[in-house]
Amino acid sequence: MGDSSTAGNGDYLPPTTPKLPIPGKRNILITSALPYVNNVPHLGNIIGSVLSADVFARYCRLRNYNAIYMCGTDEYGTATETKALEENSTPKQICDKYHAIHREVYKWFDISFDQFGRTSTPQQTEVCQAIFNKLWENNWLSENTMQQPYCDTCKKFLADRLVEGNCPTPGCNYDSARGDQCEKCGKLLNPTDLKDPRCKVCRNTPCIRDTDHLFLELPLLKDKLETYVNNMSVAGGWSQNAVHTTNAWLREGLKQRCITRDLKWGVPVPHEKYKEKVFYVWFDAPIGYVSITSCYTTEWEKWWKNPENVELYQFMGKDNVPFHTVIFPSTLLGTGENWTLMKTISVTEYLNYEAGKFSKSKGVGVFGNDAKDTNIPVEVWRYYLLTNRPEVSDTLFSWADLQAKLNSELLSNLGNFVNRVLSFIAKDPVSGYGSIIPNHEGAESHPLTKALGEKVGNYVEQYIEAMEKVKLKQGLKIAMSVSGEGNGYLQESQFWKLYKEDKPSCSIVMSTAAGLVYLLACLLEPFMPSFSREVLKQLNFPPETQVSLADERGDIEKSKRPWHILPAGHKIGIPAPLFKELKDEEVEFYREKFAGSQADRNLKAEAEAKKITDQLNKAKISDANKKKERATKPSAAKSKGSASVEAEISISRLDIRVGLITRAQKHPDADSLYVEEIDVGEAQPRTVVSGLVNYIPLEEMQNRKVCVLCNLKPASMRGIKSQAMVLAASSSDHTRVELVEPPKDAAIGERVTFPGFDGTPDDVLNPKKKVWETLLVDLHSNKELVACYKDLPFTTSAGVCKVAFISEGSIR
């Protein structure tokens, strides 16, 4: 049920040679809706697309199918231009910034893309224009004049997302509906439909002008589309919400769909008359799946123009359905080419947040980087989102529910079973098995064990049936039932008594239970890969071990005899608890922390930071006044006519040392501050106050080596005197902060030096001379992630100091 292939860290890494369809194998192409690049994804976005697709992709690999998972950021269109205006930036800068944020969030969430690309590439332009040319040649496009809002103040046509107004849908009347879609009722709109429209940039009322555009003739393609939908929705087992939405579009009658926009940021239209326009983002965005695959392999057509040998599975939220079941397939059908059309679509409803909706535009809810910054492990987030996956109706995220599922299902059921089994096996031979898997001889005739094998075998078959139908929530529930059976088996066997009274039977029970532990690592790998990696580690399997449930390897049959899964004599690793209880006070803390919108939270953090700054400034002014008073008194030195010469401002005047954080906790009176005890090689550790709460989780502050500036003048921070400063790097947009880390073997208390600078540091840096302020402008991380002063590395006897991810960041 496992082999030793792929990534050295125990998780999936794409092979160095791109996969291509293999004749005779099951070839599966998986996509998830391309996340829009203008913001950080929230938990509703993550479960609605990338996480659900990742679970299915991991399941396919578990079954040894030949599967690839393609995704990337959707980067063209009005929303990017709008965000660029908001941030006084260019669209490309916005895309670069948020693509990196998306990539980092998904990496933390263990999303196993084979390719995570973007749509602002030459490949996107090439594929998109080629499809357009085919549609033009085949006469599926028409030219029409349409009326569009024009802003006299901004001197330009306003694309749909640059217009806001009241929703015209009866009973809705939402006052901030966009020109393309109402966020409240979900109705697709045109900008001219809005009541009381206004320009999003200047807020003035636009006028209506004529402008020529190109349209996809959906009504003429209706017969081809209906044939495809009627056949594939049954063969592919489309989710009910996808069928309902698609049929509603077909019943209402298909209309011409505009495919061009009066914008600059997009794929240029390859037509002389329309060369100043770009393709509408909902025409080009689904084509991004193809272009991202073409970035993955130059032989992309073997995946995308091979419907006889490739199955296409697509994952998305319900607002994306018509673009994938009507517009995109119509576009591909209109080319007349042999495209791989979607076989199965898996659609989620909305995940709501506490008392209302998640909202990217309003910043409401928990976002991907928020989850990363809590001390709740990724496997818990994945588990909770997947047990709460809104497959047939909207579901609700609540902190209390997350706590309940963690404490009762993961900790008390799953974690308890695994730890109970492995801890008993790890006991010394007097009271356990000395970490050796015992002999299972006689298991076939052991009634309790044989009954368990039959139950577990049935569960595995049900699991595979659910997962093949993309019923992910059901698959997870079945996998967790195996853990429940394991706990019941342990209780009924009373193994602790058997060990004393019937050792052969106890050996059968513990060998079987250990096999179940391994089987759970297999079944749960698609849902919680980090959990599976840790279980394999505790079972003492190599980090590169890949779990398997492949038919051709006999893994399914083996699951019916769990006593055969692990060989007798195998030595396990060191057991440790897999989950930690989430306490009431932590839940309350998170509920309060993530209340309101991101804007509210940012204002609160800024107010807190300003308060601290004001207090520090007052303290500096008071200190400066005292010094002034002292300076007015005649001094003995001056009476003798002597004057002290200020030393040159040099990096050697800084006393930067290797420190070890021995303890870190939240500041009792400031939400954004940590208080650390740091050993810097002195008789007593130093107390340090750092404003890192919003960037680095508390558990990552514990027991780690850091670089500490030790000769700053001590300063009181909200009632606690800080006796040094921990050095950290921040990204150019200040959204990420990382600690500067010395090498693991660097000695605590060792001074960090810079080649060519050998002077003695000041005892205390004089704030008035601004030594630190002068030097810090040249502290940075370089492209190789090395911490530097100008081009000189932070150096210890064990090597240079580095940061984890932030290249070319500022250090202070």
Side-chain angles (χ1 to χ4, degrees):
M1 297 180 76
D3 65 12
S4 299
S5 60
T6 330
N9 64 352
D11 195 10
Y12 178 78
L13 285 179
T16 51
T17 304
K19 293 181 190 175
L20 294 174
I22 299 170
K25 282 206 80 165
R26 193 166 173 201
N27 301 297
I28 299 180
L29 171 58
I30 300 161
T31 72
S32 56
L34 305 183
Y36 208 83
V37 80
N38 68 327
N39 212 323
V40 181
H42 58 60
L43 298 184
N45 305 136
I46 290 168
I47 185 58
S49 56
V50 295
L51 178 55
S52 295
D54 178 65
V55 172
F56 187 69
R58 287 178 178 277
Y59 165 75
C60 289
R61 298 182 197 116
L62 188 69
R63 298 278 286 142
N64 201 32
Y65 302 152
N66 187 41
I68 60 170
Y69 176 17
M70 298 287 114
C71 190
T73 41
D74 178 8
E75 302 192 350
Y76 284 137
T78 320
T80 304
E81 287 198 352
T82 306
K83 192 71 173 178
L85 285 169
E86 288 174 10
E87 298 195 10
N88 194 26
S89 183
T90 67
K92 185 179 186 310
Q93 288 170 332
I94 287 293
C95 293
D96 290 346
K97 170 185 172 180
Y98 284 100
H99 175 81
I101 291 171
H102 276 260
R103 182 182 284 279
E104 191 170 322
V105 167
Y106 302 140
K107 181 180 179 183
W108 186 81
F109 266 95
D110 266 340
I111 308 298
S112 61
F113 307 111
D114 286 85
Q115 180 82 8
F116 184 73
R118 48 202 306 188
T119 58
S120 59
T121 62
Q123 289 90 339
Q124 174 76 354
T125 299
E126 183 182 342
V127 176
C128 201
Q129 291 182 344
I131 288 174
F132 166 80
N133 289 332
K134 282 289 183 183
L135 292 169
W136 183 265
E137 289 169 18
N138 295 341
N139 296 315
W140 296 116
L141 299 176
S142 60
E143 301 178 73
N144 278 304
T145 300
M146 63 184 287
Q147 293 186 316
Q148 192 170 333
Y150 183 88
C151 181
D152 284 315
T153 308
C154 298
K155 302 297 181 190
K156 67 177 181 181
F157 282 104
L158 300 179
D160 39 28
R161 289 197 178 206
L162 284 175
V163 190
E164 287 184 345
N166 292 348
C167 179
T169 306
C172 180
N173 298 319
Y174 182 53
D175 63 1
S176 296
R178 299 191 310 253
D180 63 339
Q181 190 171 23
C182 176
E183 191 180 37
K184 183 180 177 185
C185 70
K187 186 77 173 176
L188 296 178
L189 302 170
N190 288 311
T192 51
D193 296 335
L194 294 173
K195 298 176 182 177
D196 301 321
R198 53 196 177 271
C199 172
K200 189 174 176 68
V201 179
C202 68
R203 314 308 291 172
N204 289 326
T205 302
C207 61
I208 301 298
R209 286 192 183 181
D210 288 346
T211 177
D212 291 338
H213 281 286
L214 289 165
F215 290 75
L216 178 64
E217 286 289 349
L218 287 177
L220 301 181
L221 287 159
K222 184 181 178 185
D223 290 344
K224 290 177 181 287
L225 179 67
E226 282 190 330
T227 300
Y228 159 72
V229 169
N230 292 338
N231 292 336
M232 201 61 85
S233 62
V234 175
W238 290 11
S239 54
Q240 199 53 47
N241 39 17
V243 173
H244 176 77
T245 302
T246 306
N247 287 340
W249 268 58
L250 292 171
R251 274 197 312 272
E252 289 174 14
L254 298 178
K255 301 174 181 62
Q256 293 175 324
R257 189 79 182 177
C258 186
I259 65 166
T260 53
R261 282 293 182 266
D262 289 295
L263 292 173
K264 298 296 182 189
W265 182 244
V267 174
V269 179
H271 188 291
E272 185 61 28
K273 181 179 176 181
Y274 299 97
K275 64 183 180 182
E276 297 301 317
K277 300 180 191 287
V278 299
F279 287 118
Y280 175 37
V281 69
W282 276 118
F283 174 77
D284 92 270
I287 295 171
Y289 302 128
V290 183
S291 74
I292 289 167
T293 312
S294 77
C295 294
Y296 171 71
T297 172
T298 55
E299 298 181 85
W300 60 270
E301 291 188 356
K302 290 184 177 179
W303 285 105
W304 280 100
K305 293 184 179 180
N306 189 3
E308 296 80 14
N309 295 304
V310 175
E311 303 167 57
L312 173 59
Y313 283 73
Q314 299 197 288
F315 291 78
M316 68 205 65
K318 64 181 176 184
D319 53 337
N320 278 324
V321 169
F323 303 106
H324 290 79
T325 63
V326 176
I327 296 173
F328 186 40
S330 295
T331 299
L332 297 181
L333 288 166
T335 66
E337 296 177 315
N338 193 32
W339 287 95
T340 302
L341 298 178
M342 176 180 64
K343 175 187 176 184
T344 298
I345 182 171
S346 179
V347 178
T348 55
E349 302 290 316
Y350 292 135
L351 175 70
N352 294 319
Y353 180 69
E354 292 280 344
K357 274 189 173 183
F358 276 95
S359 171
K360 273 203 298 186
S361 58
K362 293 182 174 61
V364 174
V366 179
F367 288 69
N369 49 356
D370 296 330
K372 182 183 172 192
D373 290 341
T374 66
N375 64 352
I376 300 172
V378 63
E379 60 267 24
V380 176
W381 284 108
R382 285 181 61 117
Y383 179 80
Y384 180 68
L385 290 172
L386 289 159
T387 58
N388 218 11
R389 186 174 186 251
E391 291 183 351
V392 293
S393 62
D394 291 356
T395 58
L396 183 69
F397 173 98
S398 82
W399 288 101
D401 189 35
L402 184 146
Q403 177 192 27
K405 284 188 165 59
L406 166 54
N407 293 348
S408 65
E409 296 174 17
L410 291 178
L411 180 62
S412 300
N413 174 4
L414 179 63
N416 176 61
F417 171 70
V418 175
N419 194 251
R420 204 175 176 193
V421 173
L422 300 187
S423 296
F424 189 79
I425 292 173
K427 285 183 178 181
D428 63 73
V430 176
S431 52
Y433 292 92
S435 296
I436 303 298
I437 299 294
N439 198 308
H440 56 259
E441 191 175 340
E444 302 280 358
S445 56
H446 189 263
L448 187 63
T449 300
K450 192 175 179 186
L452 174 77
E454 289 172 2
K455 283 182 189 174
V456 169
N458 288 334
Y459 275 130
V460 171
E461 288 174 357
Q462 291 168 29
Y463 168 90
I464 289 170
E465 184 181 355
M467 296 297 284
E468 291 291 336
K469 294 177 179 176
V470 201
K471 296 183 181 297
L472 307 183
K473 192 192 288 191
Q474 186 181 341
L476 178 53
K477 186 177 179 182
I478 292 166
M480 291 297 287
S481 296
V482 172
S483 175
E485 288 293 341
N487 277 314
Y489 174 68
L490 291 181
Q491 283 303 109
E492 194 172 349
S493 69
Q494 297 189 315
F495 65 92
W496 58 94
K497 284 188 179 178
L498 287 179
Y499 187 79
K500 296 174 182 175
E501 300 169 4
D502 185 356
K503 269 200 174 174
S505 291
C506 188
S507 295
I508 290 170
V509 168
M510 297 318 295
S511 172
T512 302
L516 279 193
V517 168
Y518 186 91
L519 179 61
L520 282 166
C522 295
L523 297 173
L524 291 169
E525 194 280 339
F527 304 94
M528 296 186 290
S530 52
F531 161 82
S532 294
R533 290 195 295 270
E534 180 58 27
V535 170
L536 291 176
K537 178 183 171 185
Q538 294 188 23
L539 284 170
N540 194 28
F541 283 96
E544 65 272 14
T545 299
Q546 295 294 303
V547 291
S548 166
L549 276 179
D551 290 332
E552 60 268 31
R553 296 176 184 170
D555 294 333
I556 310 305
E557 281 304 307
K558 200 181 286 185
S559 70
K560 298 174 183 178
R561 298 185 301 281
W563 51 89
H564 278 308
I565 292 176
L566 295 178
H570 174 77
K571 185 172 184 177
I572 67 168
I574 301 170
L578 292 158
F579 300 100
K580 180 184 171 187
E581 181 185 10
L582 188 59
K583 296 180 180 174
D584 291 344
E585 55 267 30
E586 293 176 280
V587 169
E588 212 44 55
F589 169 78
Y590 291 128
R591 187 183 284 117
E592 183 181 340
K593 180 176 179 179
F594 298 111
S597 69
Q598 282 182 318
D600 295 336
R601 301 199 287 267
N602 289 339
L603 285 172
K604 186 178 175 183
E606 286 168 12
E608 186 69 41
K610 185 178 184 302
K611 197 172 177 183
I612 292 170
T613 303
D614 289 345
Q615 288 176 340
L616 288 172
N617 287 339
K618 282 178 187 175
K620 286 177 183 175
I621 291 167
S622 172
D623 187 52
N625 288 337
K626 286 176 186 174
K627 287 183 178 178
K628 229 179 246 183
E629 287 172 18
R630 287 198 296 269
T632 57
K633 296 175 184 176
S635 69
K638 284 187 178 176
S639 64
K640 292 177 184 176
S642 64
S644 61
V645 178
E646 177 69 23
E648 177 193 358
I649 293 181
S650 155
I651 193 69
S652 62
R653 292 178 65 179
L654 300 187
D655 184 9
I656 302 174
R657 300 186 214 165
V658 174
L660 176 69
I661 300 176
T662 57
R663 183 167 177 255
Q665 60 187 345
K666 295 277 181 67
H667 194 299
D669 298 317
D671 290 343
S672 60
L673 300 178
Y674 285 130
V675 180
E676 305 113 27
E677 298 296 322
I678 305 182
D679 181 355
V680 291
E682 298 170 339
Q684 296 294 326
R686 294 203 187 193
T687 300
V688 179
V689 181
S690 307
L692 297 170
V693 168
N694 295 325
Y695 303 101
I696 302 174
L698 182 58
E699 73 272 13
E700 291 183 17
M701 294 291 292
Q702 311 290 346
N703 197 36
R704 68 184 292 179
K705 286 184 179 176
V706 287
C707 289
V708 186
L709 179 59
C710 293
N711 59 342
L712 280 177
K713 184 173 181 180
S716 182
M717 305 279 278
R718 295 298 294 271
I720 296 177
K721 184 168 281 190
S722 183
Q723 300 169 320
M725 176 189 285
V726 174
L727 297 185
S730 67
S731 57
S732 57
D733 59 3
H734 305 295
T735 58
R736 294 181 296 159
V737 173
E738 296 171 353
L739 294 174
V740 176
E741 294 194 275
K744 288 181 181 178
D745 296 332
I748 295 168
E750 175 183 357
R751 189 179 173 205
V752 176
T753 59
F754 301 86
F757 290 89
D758 301 320
T760 304
D762 293 9
D763 289 334
V764 177
L765 296 171
N766 186 340
K768 192 173 180 181
K769 302 298 181 183
K770 298 194 178 298
V771 177
W772 166 239
E773 289 80 358
T774 302
L775 294 167
L776 73 83
V777 296
D778 289 315
L779 300 180
H780 65 99
S781 58
N782 66 15
K783 289 182 179 178
E784 285 72 44
L785 305 177
V786 176
C788 295
Y789 166 67
K790 296 185 177 177
D791 59 351
L792 303 174
F794 283 49
T795 305
T796 72
S797 58
V800 299
C801 305
K802 304 186 80 172
V803 296
F805 298 109
I806 300 173
S807 64
E808 301 182 309
S810 57
I811 291 176
R812 63 162 302 159

